Amino acid sequence: MFSWSSFSQSLEDLQHRAAENNLELKAQFKRFEAQLEDITEAKSWQDPNLSFGYFISPIETRVGPQIARFSLTQKLPWFGTYKAKGNIAAFRAEAEFEKFQDQKLKLFLNVAQKYYDLLALRYITELETKQLEILENLKAIVESNYKNNKARLVDILRVDLEMDKQLSTIQVLKDQDQAFVTQINQLIDRQLNTPVHILNPKQILEQNESIEIDSMVRNHPRLEAIRKLKASNEAESDLAKKEAMPQFGLGLDYAIIQDRNVQNAEAGQDAIMPMLSVSLPIFGKKNKSRKKAVSLQGESIEFQLENEESRLETEIQVALYKQDELFSLLSLYDKQLLSLKDILQLSETALANASMGIEEVLRLQEERLLYEKQRAKTLADLQKTDETLIYLTSNSDL
């Protein structure tokens, strides 16, 4: 027999499974791999051009009629052009990888948020179940008082009504539990009805470890992706300069000469002619326009980077403010529950002595349950805020 603890699934386990199986994350990684292939394409030379011509009316030459010609040419761009193209593709591939890194971190955050929502729900279900047991105990006290003529029948019916409401609440929570499980399984890309076993939700929620946060994020994937695009833009600027330079062409012509003049020693000798061509970049408007476009794109990227840095810092500050607020709420609920503990003990004793009505005892129990549920939600929100801060302050591991 295996214990339930052997089936308990931790957050790290679920995140690891999500990283392996999530379809959206796989799609982003394939985009990165596709971008990698562009590097080889960008650095590859142009294919040489081979042409063949046949003279319907042969051209007479000194050594015989020329009947056909083969031409092989190869274009050569300015020095460093292919390297610049390769750099552009490489930086764009790195930008796609940073997007993949960010998407993976967002996936971890999403799984964590659903996980802690599920923990809070299951903890609240335990509280509601415990509340049902308390109501059963109160009903026994009221029934005993009724037999001794210290309570009314309506008091028993009131407790029964609360118990029915409690059973309905527990059933609703179980339905919500399955909805959260379905959402987690969808992120992990497995059967939607696969159970998510978690041992002792309260203990996990109570684990509030303080984490050190650097409010100045420098290497977050969201920033690194833009920086890679900036580097790609700089390489594109370099490419625009090189493409404004002359381009070279190397070629070789091979002419087939028919042998008809036997009196000439060179009769019928085929002709070979090496060729060199150079482009003349005299129309510079298109090159100037391209350089200006690249420059404007660079300015746009700078604004994007500055805006993203500001957004990250703002999101971190908001999360820190929320964290402080949640700690304050948690402290308040702890104080209220501590005060209610003694009051509830005295109220149950008073109920047994018939010196307090069941209505007041039920109100106090309902108040205690409300504080405990709010505390459970606050614990879950605190954990989710911590996970948000971990995401916002993560650095790229490229």
Side-chain angles (χ1 to χ4, degrees), residues 208 318-334 374-375 377-386:
N208 289 320
V318 170
L320 289 172
Y321 293 145
K322 183 177 180 180
Q323 188 182 57
D324 292 339
E325 180 184 359
L326 291 171
F327 273 122
S328 299
L329 281 175
L330 191 61
S331 177
L332 175 62
Y333 293 140
D334 286 338
Q374 292 295 336
R375 182 177 184 275
K377 293 178 181 178
T378 302
L379 285 171
D381 288 341
L382 193 55
Q383 294 282 12
K384 290 192 292 183
T385 303
D386 288 344

Side-chain angles (χ1 to χ4, degrees), residues 52-61 63-70 254-260 268-271:
F52 170 75
Y54 181 80
F55 296 97
I56 297 177
S57 298
I59 298 177
E60 293 292 340
T61 67
V63 294
Q66 182 179 350
I67 60 175
R69 174 184 293 177
F70 290 93
Y254 183 81
I256 299 177
I257 308 298
Q258 189 175 9
D259 185 4
R260 285 185 181 175
Q269 185 174 352
D270 295 340

Side-chain angles (χ1 to χ4, degrees), residues 238-251:
D238 183 43
L239 176 63
K241 295 177 182 178
K242 294 183 182 301
E243 289 189 338
M245 303 298 288
Q247 295 187 14
F248 302 97
L250 296 177

Side-chain angles (χ1 to χ4, degrees), residues 337-364:
L337 287 170
L338 186 61
S339 300
L340 273 175
K341 182 179 179 181
D342 295 334
I343 297 175
L344 286 169
Q345 289 177 351
L346 293 173
S347 66
E348 290 184 12
T349 302
L351 179 65
N353 296 330
S355 59
M356 178 180 285
I358 188 62
E359 298 90 346
E360 182 64 18
V361 177
L362 290 176
R363 187 191 66 79
L364 290 172

Side-chain angles (χ1 to χ4, degrees), residues 116-153:
Y116 287 117
D117 283 338
L118 180 61
L119 281 175
L121 184 69
R122 291 187 175 179
Y123 181 26
I124 290 174
T125 304
E126 292 178 1
L127 293 173
E128 296 285 3
T129 304
K130 182 180 177 182
Q131 180 76 353
L132 182 60
E133 295 174 358
I134 292 173
L135 291 174
E136 290 173 350
N137 293 332
L138 292 177
K139 181 180 178 181
I141 295 174
V142 173
E143 286 178 341
S144 176
N145 287 344
Y146 178 71
K147 291 178 182 179
N148 296 324
N149 295 322
K150 295 180 180 180
R152 299 168 298 172
L153 180 60

Side-chain angles (χ1 to χ4, degrees), residues 85-280:
K85 289 182 177 180
N87 289 339
I88 293 172
F91 286 128
R92 288 178 179 174
E94 290 177 6
E96 286 297 324
F97 182 77
E98 294 297 344
K99 292 178 182 178
F100 164 77
Q101 291 286 81
D102 180 57
Q103 192 164 331
K104 183 174 71 173
L105 291 172
K106 285 180 179 177
L107 175 62
F108 284 176
L109 175 60
N110 201 358
V111 171
Q113 289 174 336
K114 300 300 182 185
Y115 179 79
Y116 287 117
D117 283 338
L118 180 61
L119 281 175
L121 184 69
R122 291 187 175 179
Y123 181 26
I124 290 174
T125 304
E126 292 178 1
L127 293 173
E128 296 285 3
T129 304
K130 182 180 177 182
Q131 180 76 353
L132 182 60
E133 295 174 358
I134 292 173
L135 291 174
E136 290 173 350
N137 293 332
L138 292 177
K139 181 180 178 181
I141 295 174
V142 173
E143 286 178 341
S144 176
N145 287 344
Y146 178 71
K147 291 178 182 179
N148 296 324
N149 295 322
K150 295 180 180 180
R152 299 168 298 172
L153 180 60
V154 68
D155 294 333
I156 299 176
L157 296 177
R158 193 184 303 276
V159 178
D160 285 336
L161 183 63
E162 290 295 326
M163 291 175 64
D164 290 340
K165 186 176 71 173
Q166 204 64 29
L167 288 171
S168 177
T169 300
I170 292 172
Q171 184 57 49
V172 170
L173 291 174
K174 289 180 179 179
D175 294 338
Q176 292 178 355
D177 185 288
Q178 186 56 47
F180 280 122
V181 169
T182 299
Q183 291 175 347
I184 291 175
N185 287 329
Q186 186 272 327
L187 291 173
I188 300 175
D189 190 34
R190 64 183 183 183
Q191 291 295 326
L192 298 181
N193 59 352
T194 304
V196 178
H197 298 294
I198 302 173
L199 185 67
N200 202 342
K202 178 183 177 182
Q203 183 180 356
I204 299 175
L205 287 174
E206 294 280 0
Q207 295 173 354
N208 289 320
E209 297 181 1
S210 60
I211 54 176
E212 294 184 1
I213 298 299
D214 182 7
S215 59
M216 296 297 293
V217 181
R218 303 187 184 280
N219 298 317
H220 193 280
R222 281 161 54 178
L223 300 180
E224 286 299 303
I226 300 176
R227 291 191 182 113
K228 298 304 179 183
L229 291 178
K230 179 182 177 182
S232 175
N233 176 263
E234 293 172 354
E236 197 167 351
S237 176
D238 183 43
L239 176 63
K241 295 177 182 178
K242 294 183 182 301
E243 289 189 338
M245 303 298 288
Q247 295 187 14
F248 302 97
L250 296 177
L252 186 67
D253 264 16
Y254 183 81
I256 299 177
I257 308 298
Q258 189 175 9
D259 185 4
R260 285 185 181 175
N261 187 356
V262 295
Q263 297 179 354
N264 194 327
E266 296 180 354
Q269 185 174 352
D270 295 340
I272 299 175
M273 180 177 65
M275 295 184 299
L276 173 66
S277 63
V278 179
S279 66
L280 302 176

